[in-house]
Amino acid sequence: MGAVCYYVAAALHSFISCFSLFMQRASSSHHVHRNLTDGFTQLPLDHKDIEIQRPYDVPESARYSFVNGVHKMWVYSSDKPHSKNSRTNPRTELAIKGYDYSSGVRQFEAQGFVPRDTSGVCVMQIFGASHLRATTLMITTNKGSLSYYRSPVLAPNIWNRWFKLNVIHDVDASTVKIYIDGIFVHEAAGHRGASHAFKCGVYS
């Protein structure tokens, strides 16, 4: 799939590279040096497996490019949502297609880099939850930190350094586990829902 990079206008930027999807259960151990993908099966992922969601009134090339193995996405605060009927904020995101799931265990893995002054941007989410909410997980950048939604902080001082992100969603147990640089940092409720999918990109 290559590297994935995300941008948002002005001082808001984020990068994610080499993202992968996995299915099936791995050990529940939180050992720092354990390969978090052991026991999982990597799913094939290609351009046909992603939908690029972008402001509906601009061509794809105005907010997305793929050059030398790097996906680049950016949005502006003045941009429109991804569809005429949407009331959501501007976004340019990769929505994973064909791998929606409603049971079992799924994992998202990526390498990421958040440039200085990035704040108020969602860089990864698990879409789908109970009827009271749209998402099971959102990982955001806020004032130099990565956070689970707005809190708690998952990793402080995240600006200008590469990090590894693993998110493991156990639908049946209704849990989401988050690892930064191979270290377990947070476990949250799964928020249930009939179907889930991974998304990553710039969602202001």
Side-chain angles (χ1 to χ4, degrees):
M1 189 65 189
V4 182
C5 297
Y6 309 103
Y7 296 79
V8 70
L12 303 178
H13 307 271
S14 62
F15 302 77
I16 296 181
S17 70
C18 305
F19 73 95
S20 302
L21 303 180
F22 302 85
M23 64 179 296
Q24 299 182 358
R25 186 181 301 276
S27 168
S28 60
S29 169
H30 295 158
H31 193 276
V32 172
H33 301 293
R34 180 174 65 86
N35 183 351
L36 293 169
T37 61
D38 285 351
F40 283 81
T41 299
Q42 185 168 3
L43 300 172
L45 191 63
D46 206 337
H47 289 282
K48 64 180 176 56
D49 303 310
I50 63 173
E51 174 189 356
I52 301 167
Q53 297 181 344
R54 67 186 192 280
Y56 72 82
D57 62 335
V58 298
E60 182 177 290
S61 60
R63 296 294 182 273
Y64 169 82
S65 70
F66 182 70
V67 179
N68 296 327
V70 177
H71 298 265
K72 295 184 179 181
M73 287 161 274
W74 59 98
V75 293
Y76 300 92
S77 59
S78 59
D79 276 342
K80 297 186 183 303
H82 68 289
S83 70
K84 289 184 178 181
N85 297 325
S86 175
R87 297 183 178 180
T88 60
N89 289 335
R91 73 180 73 192
T92 304
E93 287 186 303
L94 298 182
I96 308 304
K97 301 187 303 179
Y99 289 118
D100 293 12
Y101 59 97
S102 58
S103 63
V105 183
R106 298 293 188 275
Q107 180 173 177
F108 175 94
E109 179 180 83
Q111 299 288 334
F113 182 90
V114 179
R116 181 171 297 280
D117 297 328
T118 300
S119 192
V121 174
C122 174
V123 296
M124 186 267 169
Q125 62 175 288
I126 299 175
F127 186 75
S130 69
H131 68 283
L132 298 177
R133 57 193 305 143
T135 62
T136 284
L137 167 82
M138 293 183 84
I139 294 181
T140 65
T141 61
N142 295 293
K143 299 179 180 178
S145 300
L146 281 183
S147 298
Y148 168 77
Y149 290 93
R150 293 187 179 275
S151 67
V153 168
L154 303 172
N157 304 317
I158 204 68
W159 282 341
N160 288 349
R161 73 172 181 87
W162 285 96
F163 63 93
K164 185 177 181 181
L165 170 67
N166 292 78
V167 174
I168 301 175
H169 184 196
D170 187 330
V171 180
D172 302 327
S174 194
T175 61
V176 175
K177 295 178 180 178
I178 304 167
Y179 299 77
I180 304 293
D181 294 329
I183 300 172
F184 174 74
V185 294
H186 188 62
E187 180 173 339
H191 299 309
R192 306 196 181 279
S195 181
H196 305 280
F198 293 119
K199 299 179 71 176
C200 52
V202 179
Y203 183 16
S204 61

